Amino acid sequence: MINQFLHNDTIAAVATAAGTGAIAVIRLSGPEAISITNSVFKGKDLTQQASHTIHFGTLRDGDKIIDEVLISLFVAPHSYTKENVVEISCHGSDFIVQQIMQLLLKKGARLANAGEFTKRAFLNGQFDLAQAEAVADLIASDSALSHEVAMKQMRGGFSQEIKRLRAELVHFASMIELELDFGEEDVEFADRDQLRSLILNIQQIIRELLKSFELGNVIKNGVPTVIVGKPNAGKSTLLNKLLNEEKAIVSDVPGTTRDFIEDEINIGGITFRFIDTAGLRETTDKVEAIGVERTMQKLSQSSLIIYLFDITGTTPEELEAELEKLNPKKLPFLPVANKIDQATPDQLAAFAGMAGLVQISAAEGARLEELKQALVNKVNLGKLNTQQQTIVTNLRHVDSLNKTYEALDDVLNGLGLGMSGDLVAADIRRALYSLGMITGEITTDDLLDNIFTKFCIGK
């Protein structure tokens, strides 16, 4: 009988998060997953049961009962990995989980490596590499948008786009390769004008995909948002109010914040990574000076800047000068006037006509919802439709798309210079290689190890 399994060993791992809970799930995958479990299970004969069934019984080490469990069976190829898969639902005691794991390993299973279940699913053809990476993104998703984008990619949305582009290139590559077989007869199977038009069209699509990474990165990793301003502007108070906890020390003493403090909050489905920084001023205090220097470094790394100022001690002219000095790169900038509860009518009126300005009282929590909406507007996801639009969220994919674009540029240059078919074909093959790296049609062991070791053990 031909072995239907790509892997001959059976792996096991805890699939649920570490720590005590109501239940824990232990997962096995491999040719002996069902028989190993059956050897320690007291209940129905699992080897005779249908796929996608659940069975109650006890797990035993000899005559010793370890736990009462539910066994979920997934018979190959109808499982996540396309191998025999068993999921053991037991009580969530760390001691029970360790006892079961030791028993399974003693019976012939081995401890799974990080991401090995998903790696086997990819190698067994369950899904392509981009979809496998989306599984990790789905697990890590912490907002509605990141969940939606990861779900679409896991279901093949991005992969279908790449495979379609690759299929069109493969057709022309095969035509040019065919020409090489008839080199002495000077025949042309691949219409050069059609090829040029196709490549220009593919490059346009790649440009749109690369542009989407700006949004994709925001959706996946959040928006690095630096809160800057002079000492005692209320930066730490604002951070605490946004996070709804006392994260930063608040004091009337200037220079209290000497290092940056960072935390995340989800606003309107977007994750913002807020960074409270040291107050900007000239100082002779060496420690505070280091804090100010780090503030400037964080400014250069941010995607959005909140400039918080005390409306009771700042003029519009001073504000304009400060914004011009702090933002030479013209990053998205949100000026926020604080302490409106202490301001006079004239002070409030002085800033009333300033475009994009938000006025708040961090101490009183006044107008914070207005500030949150302004932040969402600054990110400018616009009329983003994650159901229709393909969005790139993975830096590895960006690198492959850039290499594809460069190879296609070389194809266009070759066509313009009238280069021979073998040289044009070589550049097309480079483009195909780079596209294939995205979906896993082209892989290396180092690439797979780098991707799947970032997964948790039980996935």
Side-chain angles (χ1 to χ4, degrees):
M1 180 179 177
I2 298 175
N3 186 358
Q4 62 174 314
F5 298 107
L6 183 63
H7 301 89
N8 292 320
D9 57 347
T10 295
I11 56 176
V14 183
T16 43
T20 301
I23 63 169
V25 176
I26 296 170
R27 174 183 284 169
L28 298 92
S29 181
E32 305 302 324
I34 296 174
S35 60
I36 288 175
T37 307
N38 193 57
S39 69
V40 296
F41 179 70
K42 183 72 171 179
K44 292 182 180 178
D45 183 353
L46 299 178
T47 63
Q48 302 301 312
Q49 306 308 312
S51 182
H52 293 70
T53 55
I54 299 176
H55 308 279
F56 173 77
T58 57
L59 287 188
R60 303 188 179 212
D61 186 1
D63 294 329
K64 176 186 173 184
I65 298 177
I66 297 176
D67 197 13
E68 293 183 340
V69 298
L70 287 174
I71 304 292
S72 301
L73 293 182
F74 305 91
V75 180
H78 307 295
S79 72
Y80 179 73
T81 62
K82 286 201 165 186
E83 302 174 335
N84 287 333
V85 169
V86 173
E87 291 185 353
I88 303 172
S89 298
C90 63
H91 291 96
S93 155
D94 284 338
F95 175 76
I96 291 173
V97 169
Q98 291 306 315
Q99 288 291 301
I100 294 173
M101 281 298 301
Q102 290 174 20
L103 182 59
L104 295 173
L105 298 181
K106 186 170 69 172
K107 292 294 183 178
R110 71 164 173 82
L111 186 63
N113 296 318
E116 190 169 2
F117 289 91
T118 302
K119 184 177 181 179
R120 288 191 174 202
F122 162 68
L123 293 173
N124 290 330
Q126 181 73 288
F127 38 59
D128 64 37
L129 197 54
Q131 289 173 285
E133 289 170 299
V135 173
D137 290 344
L138 186 65
I139 294 170
S141 63
D142 56 4
S143 70
L145 280 174
S146 60
H147 168 268
E148 195 170 341
V149 170
M151 181 62 74
K152 182 182 178 184
Q153 293 189 353
M154 190 180 75
R155 296 178 69 84
F158 177 56
S159 299
Q160 289 169 8
E161 184 86 15
I162 297 302
K163 287 175 181 176
R164 183 178 64 80
L165 299 181
R166 199 168 188 272
E168 292 177 345
L169 272 179
V170 165
H171 170 71
F172 272 96
S174 61
M175 291 297 100
I176 292 177
E177 296 283 357
L178 189 60
E179 289 176 8
L180 300 180
D181 293 338
F182 292 86
E184 296 180 359
E185 301 180 27
D186 194 27
V187 294
E188 192 173 275
F189 293 103
D191 186 292
R192 294 315 191 253
D193 289 335
Q194 287 184 12
L195 177 58
R196 186 178 290 104
S197 177
L198 171 66
I199 288 173
L200 289 172
N201 181 56
I202 291 176
Q203 284 190 317
Q204 174 61 30
I205 294 171
I206 290 175
R207 281 195 296 271
E208 291 173 2
L209 290 172
L210 289 171
K211 186 178 179 181
S212 78
F213 180 68
E214 184 177 338
L215 294 178
N217 193 44
V218 164
I219 291 170
K220 180 179 177 180
N221 298 315
V223 186
T225 305
V226 177
I227 306 173
V228 296
K230 293 181 179 179
N232 280 358
K235 300 181 297 297
S236 297
T237 301
L238 176 58
L239 179 66
N240 289 341
K241 285 291 184 181
L242 288 170
L243 298 175
N244 200 29
E245 64 173 297
E246 297 297 316
K247 185 80 173 182
I249 297 173
V250 176
S251 169
D252 292 333
V253 179
T256 300
T257 303
R258 299 186 170 206
D259 203 349
F260 61 87
I261 300 169
E262 189 170 345
D263 212 332
E264 296 182 353
I265 182 175
N266 188 288
I267 304 173
I270 302 168
T271 299
F272 288 86
R273 291 193 285 113
F274 286 111
I275 306 163
D276 178 25
T277 59
L280 297 170
R281 67 169 181 172
E282 298 292 332
T283 179
T284 57
D285 186 303
K286 290 183 178 181
V287 176
E288 187 181 353
I290 293 172
V292 173
E293 183 182 343
R294 289 184 177 180
T295 295
M296 301 309 294
Q297 291 174 354
K298 286 294 178 181
L299 275 174
S300 64
Q301 299 166 5
S302 66
S303 297
L304 177 60
I305 300 169
I306 295 176
Y307 183 77
L308 191 72
F309 66 96
D310 182 350
I311 196 171
T312 67
T314 308
T315 66
E317 293 74 24
E318 289 171 340
L319 176 62
E320 292 285 359
E322 194 70 19
L323 296 183
E324 188 66 30
K325 181 174 68 175
L326 285 176
N327 193 23
K329 294 182 179 180
K330 304 300 179 185
L331 293 169
F333 215 102
L334 183 62
V336 179
N338 191 24
K339 304 186 182 180
I340 60 172
D341 55 313
Q342 302 173 24
T344 66
D346 287 343
Q347 289 170 333
L348 293 172
F351 291 92
M354 181 170 289
L357 178 74
V358 180
Q359 297 188 6
I360 68 166
S361 170
E364 299 294 326
R367 299 188 182 178
L368 289 188
E369 290 305 316
E370 183 181 334
L371 171 60
K372 291 177 182 180
Q373 187 57 53
L375 288 168
V376 172
N377 293 342
K378 276 291 181 181
V379 174
N380 192 27
L381 293 182
K383 295 180 179 179
L384 178 64
N385 187 340
T386 53
Q387 294 298 322
Q388 301 294 329
Q389 187 176 346
T390 300
I391 299 173
V392 179
T393 61
N394 190 305
L395 194 58
R396 186 183 73 82
H397 300 166
V398 170
D399 180 59
S400 291
L401 287 170
N402 276 321
K403 288 177 179 177
T404 303
Y405 194 95
E406 292 168 4
L408 293 177
D409 257 349
D410 290 340
V411 174
L412 288 177
N413 291 334
L415 292 174
L417 295 172
M419 287 184 175
S420 62
D422 56 338
L423 295 177
V424 172
D427 289 328
I428 293 178
R429 284 195 294 270
R430 278 175 48 222
L432 289 171
Y433 179 90
S434 295
L435 286 176
M437 289 288 284
I438 295 175
T439 57
E441 290 166 273
I442 306 293
T443 61
T444 65
D445 289 340
D446 288 342
L447 171 66
L448 295 183
D449 288 343
N450 183 55
I451 289 171
F452 290 109
T453 53
K454 295 175 182 176
F455 283 64
C456 53
I457 297 291
K459 196 63 181 174

